[in-house]
């Protein structure tokens, strides 16, 4: 398995990413494994910006935007969305798409 760790510092509500502390850095596997290579390949393949054209991207593939509200209870003290909130976001989007004839 693999673990992705995000290190942040600052006051709650204004946390910023920071370098991995020197005390933790030696815990990383010195050998670059399959999981890390796959993660880096997958991230590199993602577009840097969302599509700008209405109704599809530059290749003509359709896309659909669904707005959502992140409630205070959806986050932990570090402003990360909890797992149940992520599941709700996906289910809400799925229901919205199913109910909108323009999305088919």
């Amino acid at each position: 398995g693999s673990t992705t760790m995000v290190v942040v510092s600052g006051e709650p509500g204004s946390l910023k990413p920071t370098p991995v502390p020197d005390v933790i850095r030696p815990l990383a596997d010195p050998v670059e494994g399959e999981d890390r290579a796959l993660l880096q390949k997958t991230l590199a393949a993602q577009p840097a910006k969302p599509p700008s054209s209405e109704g599809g991207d530059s290749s003509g593939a359709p896309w659909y935007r669904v707005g959502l509200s992140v409630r205070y209870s959806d986050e932990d003290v570090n402003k990360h969305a909890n797992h149940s909130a992520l599941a709700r976001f996906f289910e809400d989007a799925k229901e919205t798409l199913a109910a909108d004839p323009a999305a088919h």
Side-chain angles (χ1 to χ4, degrees):
S2 68
T3 300
T4 301
M5 183 175 85
V6 177
V7 180
V8 296
S9 65
E11 295 295 319
S14 62
L15 300 175
K16 305 269 188 270
T18 61
V20 175
D22 291 335
V23 69
I24 295 175
R25 192 177 303 276
L27 298 175
D29 190 347
V31 178
E32 186 169 320
E34 289 179 41
D35 289 337
R36 181 175 177 184
L38 177 62
L39 178 61
Q40 288 179 326
K41 179 182 174 184
T42 303
L43 289 174
Q46 299 303 308
K49 294 183 178 182
S52 59
S53 61
E54 283 297 321
D57 64 17
S58 59
S59 71
W63 58 272
Y64 191 86
R65 183 178 304 177
V66 177
L68 58 91
S69 297
V70 180
R71 301 177 303 215
Y72 178 78
S73 61
D74 293 334
E75 299 176 321
D76 64 14
V77 296
N78 293 319
K79 299 290 186 187
H80 301 126
N82 63 48
H83 293 93
S84 62
L86 294 174
R88 185 175 50 80
F89 299 156
F90 282 108
E91 287 300 315
D92 288 352
K94 187 170 72 174
E95 289 177 16
T96 300
L97 287 168
D100 186 351
H104 298 274

